[in-house]
Amino acid sequence: MTTKMQAAVATRFRSPLAVTTVPVPAPGPGQVLVRVHACGVCHTDLHTVNGDWPVKPSLPRVPGHEAAGEVVEVGDLVREVAVGDRVGVPWLHSACGRCEQCLTGWETLCDKQTRTGYDVDGGFAEYVLADAAYVAHLPAAMDYLHAAPLMCAGLTVYKGMRMVDAAPGDWVVVSGIGGLGHLAVQYARAMGYQVVAVDIDDSKLDLAARLGASMTVNAKTTDPVSYLQRQLGGVHGALVTAVSPAAFSQAVGMMRPGGTVVLNGVPPGDFALNIYDIVMRAITMRGSIVGTRADLARALELAVQARIETVIHPAHLEDVNEVLDKMQKWPIPGRTVLEFGPR
Ligand code: NAD
Ligand code: ZN
Ligand code: ZN
């Protein structure tokens, strides 16, 4: 077993990651060591590296929470995972298992949780440590490259779409057709919704149309609020993954009376709401953060059954700074996935 590995390490906020050689970590009790074959690059990794959020990660930190790979070593007390298993390593690294949230199906809200690539080192590395109880088992039909983005992007929008609480046939907006959004369009279709895709980039909207959106709106050239009110009398729900506070206010304006807006995107900042409008039209707004292990198992299963297509762009660990730079204006739709060759 090799003792050194390549990893991309954040050492200062708003600075390039250092792609460097570090020791391979050893699994403690209850942990597994995963040889990473692929790791998606989520916009959250960019927020992490930029220190965008009020609660910042401690540095140095290896980002990456969409890892997929093979278990190569297991620590003491590990029973549910064996060497050779194909697993995914999601954002939720661990939770306490005992608090009210953990006991009521909301482990993602556990106060004592640790997060992969934020509180503990993540998948922008040749190997990553994971808690055996929190890894996902990959369906046999899925290769590592296409499975990786489902660990965060797929899981998050599967859960987010369920939180929209719409009925089959309802109109649902997906705002922001990036890594999350292109999967959200497909999960929404699989749940029986009619989808409107909103973005500010035509290439993203073309992809959304190919993946099943019935209607697309470029928010740069058309005001999506007046357009959707005119065309559809508003929509029943929206999932906002856009990295822009303006998109959140717009989503509220797109609602029919009684509609639900689910917030997935986490751009730093605030947005304004009109109290009268929310009350008189009885709009629901709710945040949604990734998903539980049970959600992840279902999201993976549904991806297989509904033939959900992860649109990926392979890149290498050495390209990670370029990938993060481009993410602000990434012209190619889908998810960039770091691919790790044979070692
Ligand atoms: P991404 O960069 O792949 O995609 C963002 C998309 O938003 C792009 O297609 C961009 O063109 C579009 N966009 C930008 N401004 C817009 C506007 N005004 N209107 C409509 N679309 C607009 O990012 P991603 O990886 O999909 O992540 C999206 C956001 O979701 C990030 O803030 C990320 O941190 C967050 N996120 C949240 C969770 C969660 O659990 N809540 C999980 C993962 C990611
Ligand atoms: Zn993510
Ligand atoms: Zn807990």
Side-chain angles (χ1 to χ4, degrees):
M1 176 75 205
T2 170
T3 57
K4 299 278 185 201
M5 66 175 185
Q6 289 290 104
V9 188
T11 52
R12 277 176 48 197
F13 294 123
R14 301 196 164 272
S15 300
L17 301 178
V19 180
T20 180
T21 304
V22 299
V24 175
Q31 289 187 318
V32 297
L33 182 68
V34 178
R35 191 177 116 171
V36 179
H37 284 247
C39 188
V41 182
C42 178
H43 209 111
T44 292
D45 297 312
L46 188 56
H47 295 311
T48 303
V49 171
N50 285 340
D52 274 345
W53 295 343
V55 180
K56 299 189 195 313
S58 60
L59 301 183
R61 178 66 58 233
V62 178
H65 55 273
E66 284 186 350
E70 176 196 351
V71 174
V72 289
E73 209 179 319
V74 302
D76 288 345
L77 309 174
V78 172
R79 274 179 289 275
E80 55 278 80
V81 184
V83 168
D85 282 3
R86 301 167 75 246
V87 297
V89 183
W91 172 253
L92 186 67
H93 172 85
S94 70
C96 83
R98 285 178 294 276
C99 70
E100 181 180 321
Q101 284 69 32
C102 282
L103 293 175
T104 55
W106 287 100
E107 61 197 20
T108 47
L109 304 182
C110 174
D111 244 6
K112 297 197 169 65
Q113 70 181 277
T114 56
R115 296 157 295 184
T116 310
Y118 209 81
D119 305 312
V120 300
D121 285 338
F124 290 1
E126 291 182 283
Y127 296 87
V128 63
L129 278 184
D131 186 313
Y134 287 81
V135 296
H137 292 268
L138 301 183
M142 238 176 232
D143 65 52
Y144 292 122
L145 271 178
H146 291 85
L150 299 176
M151 292 307 123
C152 174
L155 165 64
T156 299
V157 300
Y158 164 81
K159 177 71 162 198
M161 266 304 156
R162 293 195 62 184
M163 303 294 285
V164 170
D165 235 355
D170 281 359
W171 282 101
V172 171
V173 161
V174 178
S175 171
I177 309 294
L180 265 63
H182 88 284
L183 293 168
V185 169
Q186 299 176 77
Y187 275 108
R189 292 284 295 148
M191 293 174 192
Y193 307 149
Q194 305 189 76
V195 178
V196 182
V198 179
D199 203 290
I200 50 171
D201 179 323
D202 281 336
S203 66
K204 316 280 174 79
L205 296 171
D206 292 346
L207 176 66
R210 178 170 81 69
L211 297 174
S214 306
M215 205 184 271
T216 61
V217 185
N218 187 329
K220 226 178 193 168
T221 51
T222 304
D223 171 23
V225 174
S226 53
Y227 182 79
L228 291 176
Q229 289 298 348
R230 207 171 52 241
Q231 292 289 322
L232 300 172
V235 295
H236 299 90
L239 181 69
V240 187
T241 77
V243 189
S244 154
F248 291 78
S249 321
Q250 282 175 342
V252 176
M254 295 172 198
M255 289 304 112
R256 287 185 193 196
T260 298
V261 179
V262 175
L263 284 57
N264 257 173
V266 198
D270 305 306
F271 66 97
L273 288 175
N274 181 273
I275 298 168
Y276 181 88
D277 182 50
I278 299 287
V279 173
M280 293 301 162
R281 299 199 303 133
I283 303 299
T284 299
M285 297 199 71
R286 38 163 66 148
S288 185
I289 173 74
V290 290
T292 62
R293 289 169 285 179
D295 293 322
L296 183 49
R298 286 175 173 169
L300 288 170
E301 184 65 20
L302 186 54
V304 173
Q305 295 306 329
R307 297 197 166 81
I308 286 176
E309 180 189 343
T310 316
V311 175
I312 55 152
H313 307 284
H316 293 115
L317 187 65
E318 306 78 63
D319 309 329
V320 67
N321 289 308
E322 198 186 323
V323 172
L324 289 171
D325 273 354
K326 278 192 182 157
M327 194 160 226
Q328 313 276 5
K329 47 187 182 311
W330 187 247
I332 306 170
R335 183 61 116 202
T336 303
V337 181
L338 303 178
E339 183 180 23
F340 295 79
R343 271 141 281 167

